[in-house]
Amino acid sequence: MTADTEPSAVEDREQAPTAGRDGWSRPVRARLQAAAGACGTAVRASIWWFDSILGGRDYQRYAEHLRRRHPGCEIPSEREYWRQRYAEADRNPTNRCC
């Protein structure tokens, strides 16, 4: 091949995607960021699901309900709420796994 038909190293660098300071090209960086965002969303959804299953926000919802629907009622402390809830579950063992 002659020098006229061979691509030069300069042309190869000009056609190659440019890399940022981290060494990743823009399309690769964009895909990595999208994948990281999707993973973060999945982790947050999983945490929300487990928190809902285990009753993590039950007291807050109960206190909001009392404030909204029964403004004159005294709101029990969180400790009292869980004591009453577990006592009720022991008295009435329906729809439980354990």
Side-chain angles (χ1 to χ4, degrees):
M1 291 187 136
T2 65
D4 294 335
T5 59
E6 283 186 32
S8 69
V10 173
E11 290 173 356
D12 286 343
R13 274 187 270 138
E14 288 173 0
Q15 292 174 357
T18 58
R21 285 182 282 180
D22 56 3
W24 297 98
S25 66
R26 282 188 190 147
V28 172
R29 192 176 318 119
R31 284 184 292 220
L32 288 172
Q33 287 174 340
C39 287
T41 299
V43 167
R44 283 188 297 278
S46 297
I47 290 171
W48 172 86
W49 186 76
F50 278 109
D51 192 44
S52 296
I53 293 295
L54 297 175
R57 289 206 19 93
D58 287 356
Y59 174 73
Q60 289 87 357
R61 284 195 325 238
Y62 179 69
E64 289 170 14
H65 165 78
L66 287 179
R67 284 186 198 104
R68 214 174 322 122
R69 302 286 184 189
H70 309 282
C73 286
E74 181 180 334
I75 298 173
S77 69
E78 189 169 359
R79 188 174 185 158
E80 291 170 351
Y81 167 78
W82 287 109
R83 277 188 188 152
Q84 291 172 3
R85 182 171 169 164
Y86 287 130
E88 177 62 29
D90 286 341
R91 281 191 303 273
N92 189 13
T94 59
N95 297 330
R96 296 189 346 189
C97 64
C98 311

